[in-house]
Amino acid sequence: QSALTQPPSASGSPGQSVTISCTGTSSDVGGYNYVSWYQQHPGKAPKLMIYEVTKRPSGVPDRFSGSKSANTASLTVSGLQAEDEADYYCSSYAGSNMWVFGGGTKLTVL
Amino acid sequence: QLQLQESGPGLVKPSETLSLTCTVSGGSIRRSDYYWDWIRQPPGEGLEWIGTIYYSGSTYYNPSLKSRVTISVDTSKNQFSLRLTSVTAADTAVYYCARRSGTYEDYWGQGTLVTVSS
């Protein structure tokens, strides 16, 4: 069970869109539609932003969207705002009641 | 509003056992549609799933930690606990407890930093 692969960093200017990728294998990301995304501000607990690849919990702005193609899931943040600057982590079901996280991506709003 | 709170020693000596408890308030740990997770985050690093427990006591562990981890539940106290044996400096991390609602964690504790040092 290896960590999912995310780019260490991503950036965009206010109002722009940015996409963060999360690459796994056919045993996790590619095998199930159980990818979640979490936002974490410094010193805070993670917050659920997307679940089951594309679903948004109540209260999460529709600027956040998720998708998946083969073994890679993606989180897109549209209309970037200053408060979107945070670390983002993906997570996927890996079979046999196991879960795996990505290494995290630091999103900077320029 | 559901709340989770981690508690336990913030400093553990190498080779000893790390023990943490998560107290759940605002909801019952016996709800059949939820699981309960432990997740950790070394300083400056990413998240790592440690394991999951169901109120019935069924447990699931990260294979990389399985030989050292035990997660237990006390439904009478609405708590679940983590034990990690033979700790080293590599186990220094913020430890989070969280509720798993099917395929995602929807409620998290604030996290507690555990440092392994002599």
Side-chain angles (χ1 to χ4, degrees):
Chain A
Q1 187 191 28
S2 299
L4 306 176
T5 300
Q6 296 182 235
S9 63
S11 63
S13 299
Q16 288 186 332
S17 293
V18 64
T19 297
I20 298 170
S21 63
C22 169
T23 300
T25 69
S26 58
S27 296
D28 39 60
V29 174
Y32 311 92
N33 288 323
Y34 295 151
V35 175
S36 306
W37 289 92
Y38 300 86
Q39 176 191 67
Q40 186 181 37
H41 287 109
K44 300 294 187 182
K47 174 188 175 183
L48 179 68
M49 305 301 285
I50 295 288
Y51 67 99
E52 292 172 6
V53 179
T54 61
K55 299 176 183 177
R56 227 177 12 258
S58 174
V60 172
D62 60 6
R63 303 183 293 101
F64 291 85
S65 62
S67 63
K68 192 186 85 167
S69 176
N71 297 337
T72 298
S74 298
L75 172 73
T76 297
V77 186
S78 305
L80 270 175
Q81 299 182 5
E83 60 261 35
D84 300 333
E85 183 162 299
D87 294 328
Y88 291 84
Y89 294 91
C90 61
S91 171
S92 174
Y93 183 58
S96 302
N97 288 294
M98 294 187 297
W99 302 86
V100 61
F101 283 94
T105 297
K106 181 177 181 60
L107 174 60
T108 301
V109 180
L110 302 171
Chain B
Q1 176 77 346
L2 190 80
Q3 293 187 341
L4 295 89
Q5 179 68 58
E6 305 89 352
S7 59
L11 181 64
V12 181
K13 290 182 169 55
S15 80
E16 295 191 345
T17 297
L18 179 159
S19 295
L20 296 174
T21 295
C22 181
T23 300
V24 179
S25 57
S28 174
I29 204 169
R30 293 181 58 90
R31 284 280 300 271
S32 60
D33 39 357
Y34 299 123
Y35 292 75
W36 306 92
D37 286 358
W38 284 100
I39 294 153
R40 70 181 183 178
Q41 184 172 35
E45 297 186 25
L47 301 168
E48 179 180 32
W49 173 72
I50 298 172
T52 297
I53 192 164
Y54 193 52
Y55 79 94
S56 63
S58 297
T59 51
Y60 313 95
Y61 298 132
N62 186 323
S64 68
L65 298 169
K66 188 173 184 177
S67 63
R68 299 193 292 129
V69 171
T70 303
I71 298 176
S72 58
V73 63
D74 186 336
T75 56
S76 68
K77 295 182 179 178
N78 229 33
Q79 294 176 335
F80 62 108
S81 298
L82 169 71
R83 289 183 75 250
L84 181 65
T85 62
S86 304
V87 297
T88 69
D91 296 308
T92 293
V94 175
Y95 286 76
Y96 293 100
C97 59
R99 186 182 81 171
R100 175 172 294 280
S101 180
T103 67
Y104 53 88
E105 287 93 358
D106 56 356
Y107 285 92
W108 296 66
Q110 65 185 26
T112 187
L113 174 63
V114 178
T115 301
V116 178
S117 175
S118 55

